[in-house]
Amino acid sequence: MMGNRLRGFRARYRMTQEDLARRVGVTRQMIIAIENGKYLPPLRLAFKLAKVFNVSIEDLFEYNEEIS
């Protein structure tokens, strides 16, 4: 399972979904889907998102492996 802190970083930087989408070259709908956990971004996009907030990918995305 993959979680993210995208919404929190956006709020901290007072950035709209549209602002962020423009900065990384995607649609606002894609930002919404990522924030809601409906879409896992490709690595290149994950790096771009992390760079916008000057953080590592690990600061922005969290992977939780569920052990059976």
Side-chain angles (χ1 to χ4, degrees):
M1 175 175 272
M2 185 75 83
N4 71 73
R5 298 178 185 94
L6 193 55
R7 187 174 284 131
F9 275 102
R10 245 189 350 89
R12 190 176 309 160
Y13 281 72
R14 298 176 188 255
M15 190 179 294
T16 66
Q17 291 168 334
E18 186 67 33
D19 294 335
L20 181 57
R22 280 193 198 122
R23 294 209 39 197
V24 297
V26 299
T27 64
R28 183 179 67 87
Q29 289 79 9
M30 185 173 291
I31 298 299
I32 292 168
I34 294 169
E35 286 184 353
N36 291 330
K38 306 249 188 234
Y39 178 74
L40 184 60
L43 191 54
R44 178 173 283 168
L45 178 55
F47 272 109
K48 285 181 178 182
L49 290 165
K51 187 174 182 178
V52 167
F53 301 113
N54 197 32
V55 298
S56 69
I57 289 179
E58 292 85 2
D59 290 334
L60 195 55
F61 295 95
E62 180 180 334
Y63 176 73
N64 295 318
E65 186 173 336
E66 296 181 8
I67 301 173
S68 306

